[in-house]
Amino acid sequence: GKKVTQPVQLATIDDVKQLLPETRSMDEYDPLLRMYINAFSGGGTVNQLSGAEAFCNRIFQSGTNTEYFSSDGQTNLLTVTVYPITSITNIWVDTAQVFAAGTVLTPDSYFADLRGQPFIRLRYGSFFSVGEQHIKVTYAGGLYTTSAAVDPALKLACCLQVAFWFQRRGQLGLQSEGMQGGSISQFEPMQYLPQVKQLLHTFKRVTH
């Protein structure tokens, strides 16, 4: 997994307040806004993606990560969760899952896609052996290290969604209610606005 003290948030409370003028001079809503920002930003853990990270199937924050992969014997490709990849420390292949020194691949037998894609490939026409969770990869990667470095599109997506949740905070549990001649539809708590999905779409992890 990945040790994270506190994941970097996709937006600050002040960022969100730009869309909520009524809250600008008040701090009583700050804990609620922070909770929404945290929920949208995700927890920053490889094993349990949440929030926008789950939607995009990746982690945005830079760091060193350990991931495990399975193989059907037909692939030379691993797709990591945190990218762009900056460096690979080690790759182990060990069906016994001990990952001792003798099971480390030599660095010249693989390469990372350094054009911003999440791929690590074997060289020389090799394929990964068949096994379950028997490939261990330690690597560094990610989009940003601080809140200040967050991509403007991710920041905007976070602000829009959090502002929406805040404005609908009294009716988050409602779904659609039938009425004569029509119906009133409410968003479910974790359903994202269409424009938020559009902004997040360009960050979705490609898998091949």
Side-chain angles (χ1 to χ4, degrees):
K2 174 182 176 183
K3 295 185 190 71
V4 174
T5 45
Q6 175 59 44
V8 174
Q9 303 307 294
L10 294 181
T12 65
I13 289 173
D14 286 340
D15 292 332
V16 173
K17 284 183 173 181
Q18 299 300 310
L19 297 178
L20 298 167
E22 69 276 20
T23 66
R24 270 184 214 169
S25 56
M26 304 157 61
D27 54 15
E28 67 182 275
Y29 291 117
D30 287 8
L32 180 62
L33 292 174
R34 186 174 291 110
M35 186 176 77
Y36 288 150
I37 291 168
N38 288 348
F40 186 84
S41 297
T45 57
V46 168
N47 305 324
Q48 195 175 2
L49 296 176
S50 59
E53 293 184 330
F55 183 89
C56 295
N57 197 22
R58 67 186 288 190
I59 285 176
F60 305 123
Q61 186 177 340
S62 299
T64 305
N65 303 277
T66 301
E67 282 195 79
Y68 297 86
F69 298 88
S70 304
S71 168
D72 59 2
Q74 306 292 309
T75 185
N76 67 344
L77 178 74
L78 302 176
T79 308
V80 299
T81 313
V82 191
Y83 66 98
I85 300 165
T86 45
S87 64
I88 302 170
T89 312
N90 270 324
I91 299 179
W92 295 258
V93 179
D94 181 11
T95 47
Q97 298 179 328
V98 178
F99 306 114
T103 63
V104 176
L105 299 184
T106 57
D108 67 343
S109 65
Y110 56 82
F111 65 98
D113 190 324
L114 298 177
R115 297 166 302 169
Q117 300 297 326
F119 306 127
I120 298 171
R121 296 177 194 274
L122 291 178
R123 296 187 194 273
Y124 316 126
S126 306
F127 291 93
F128 287 104
S129 58
V130 177
E132 287 290 324
Q133 302 288 294
H134 68 305
I135 304 163
K136 177 182 175 181
V137 183
T138 307
Y139 69 99
L143 274 178
Y144 58 78
T145 49
T146 64
S147 293
V150 171
D151 187 288
L154 282 176
K155 185 174 285 193
L156 178 59
C158 185
C159 290
L160 288 170
Q161 190 63 46
V162 169
F164 176 80
W165 282 336
F166 180 80
Q167 288 166 336
R168 302 290 189 285
R169 62 191 181 281
Q171 43 186 197
L172 275 181
L174 295 176
Q175 293 187 17
S176 90
E177 295 179 12
M179 284 175 61
Q180 279 185 313
S183 70
I184 305 172
S185 284
Q186 304 293 350
F187 282 79
E188 294 173 52
M190 292 303 282
Q191 190 175 343
Y192 296 147
L193 293 165
Q195 60 266 48
V196 169
K197 288 182 182 175
Q198 215 169 351
L199 287 164
L200 291 178
H201 201 76
T202 53
F203 295 92
K204 274 195 164 181
R205 173 163 60 146
V206 284
T207 50
H208 53 75

